[in-house]
Each structure stands twice: as structure tokens, then as C-alpha cells.
Amino acid sequence: MEMKFEVIPDIQTPLTPEIESVSKFIETNKEIIEAFKEYAISRSDGIGLAANQCSVNGERLNLRMVAVKTAGTDECRIAIDPKIVRLHGIKLQRIEGCLTWKGKAIVADRYYYVDVEFYTPDGELHKETHKGWQGQVWQHELNHINGIEEKVVLPGQIPNKPDIGRNDQCPCGSGKKLKKCCIVDYESWNK
């Protein structure tokens, strides 16, 4: 059976159900996992995609998995039952695009570092740390999976990012000045 994928526009993504058995999930959904990966690769307008953002043959794909592309390549990883284990480092307001909210923007607080764990389509458990924009993508996609509502704005409503000076307190919460703490991460993320 041919699967026709589409991103569902302008509707908040629902919380996806927990997976009771990862091995059973993989076995039951083998074909759809591969088809979802191919669809994510075919999209040239995004680097992350949550399964519950999509419909397949007209029905929402309410499965707990995301696809994340490696920037500048055709490589795409499928993460099954992904979880954020730890958020750390600086936390800043970010402006993001979203395939669900075309022509609009997401305004969200994101941490610079994110520790995630997920299963591959082979059933292997992976634990990884991502930083900067890659960490931001994981946080964005996991919010879709977890049904967390983001602040969606029109382009003319995008707020100015707060300006943090070198002598201001570091946004990681350490109590130190930015220049004595996370200045390298801050500057790299704000290029």
C-alpha cells in the first residue's frame, strides 16, 4: 500500500501515547518507520520532523518518533520514543520556523545543551548530547511529540531578543558574569 504523507498545517500537535514495548513498536511499524524517514529526507524545507505533525493517507500519524537531518547532507536519523534527559547551559529566547506553522514563527526559550535518549529503528538505545541549533531542533521536535504548545507569531509580531552584555549575569543561572562563564556558547549561538 502506498503511503501519502503530508504535514498537517496550523493545528497544534497532540500528545503522543507512550510506547509500552519498543521492540513491539518497531516490529509493528517497520514499513511506516522507513516511509516516514524517506518523507523526512524528501522535505527540503526543514531539518526536523515529528511524526505527529504528519498525516498518512489522511490520518494523523500519532506515533512517538522524530526524524532529524544532519545539516548539509541527505542523512536522516529516526529517533523512536525520544526523551529529553537533561537541559543545561545557557537558556535564551530563540525564533524558529516550523513546518506546521508555515509563514509564522515560534518564539521559545531553549537551552544550549540537551541530553537526549532514544531508540534507533534497530532497537538500540542511544544517549547523546546536542548543542546550539542541533539542541534547539531536538527541543522543538520533542515539544511536538509531547503536545507542548509553542508561542506562534506572525513575522511582524516577533519580539526583539533580549540583549545580554558581557557583564550581565550568565543566562545559565550560575550567578557569574557572562564573560566569566558561558561567553563562548553565547557568542557561537548568536552568530
Side-chain angles (χ1 to χ4, degrees), residues 89-90 168-178 180-182:
I90 57 176
D168 291 335
Q169 279 202 352
C170 185
C172 77
S174 67
K176 297 178 185 175
K177 290 183 178 183
L178 177 62
K180 297 280 187 185
C181 197
C182 298

Side-chain angles (χ1 to χ4, degrees), residues 125-186:
L125 179 64
H126 277 253
K127 296 180 181 184
E128 302 174 348
T129 298
H130 295 276
K131 67 179 183 175
W133 67 268
Q134 290 176 324
Q136 187 176 338
V137 169
W138 281 93
Q139 290 169 76
H140 179 101
E141 299 310 329
L142 279 136
N143 277 1
H144 279 301
I145 291 293
N146 292 320
I148 296 172
E149 193 169 334
E150 302 277 18
K151 181 179 178 183
V152 181
V153 299
L154 295 170
Q157 300 172 324
I158 296 173
N160 293 329
K161 285 191 212 175
D163 189 29
I164 301 170
R166 295 172 57 82
N167 288 315
D168 291 335
Q169 279 202 352
C170 185
C172 77
S174 67
K176 297 178 185 175
K177 290 183 178 183
L178 177 62
K179 68 183 180 185
K180 297 280 187 185
C181 197
C182 298
I183 189 70
V184 172
D185 292 344
Y186 180 79

Side-chain angles (χ1 to χ4, degrees), residues 47-49 68 84 87-88 90-98 105-116 129-144 150 161 185 188-191:
I47 57 173
L49 184 64
V68 179
I84 291 177
L87 297 164
H88 51 108
I90 57 176
K91 180 172 129 181
L92 298 175
Q93 182 183 80
R94 308 303 293 173
I95 310 301
E96 306 167 345
C98 182
I106 304 293
V107 178
D109 288 337
R110 301 288 188 222
Y111 286 86
Y112 188 73
Y113 292 98
V114 59
D115 298 344
V116 294
T129 298
H130 295 276
K131 67 179 183 175
W133 67 268
Q134 290 176 324
Q136 187 176 338
V137 169
W138 281 93
Q139 290 169 76
H140 179 101
E141 299 310 329
L142 279 136
N143 277 1
H144 279 301
E150 302 277 18
K161 285 191 212 175
D185 292 344
S188 121
W189 212 11
N190 282 307
K191 284 184 182 177

Side-chain angles (χ1 to χ4, degrees), residues 68-89:
V68 179
K69 289 183 185 177
T70 302
T73 72
D74 285 337
E75 183 182 320
C76 184
R77 300 174 68 202
I78 297 295
I80 296 169
D81 199 22
K83 293 176 176 62
I84 291 177
V85 180
R86 182 175 172 225
L87 297 164
H88 51 108

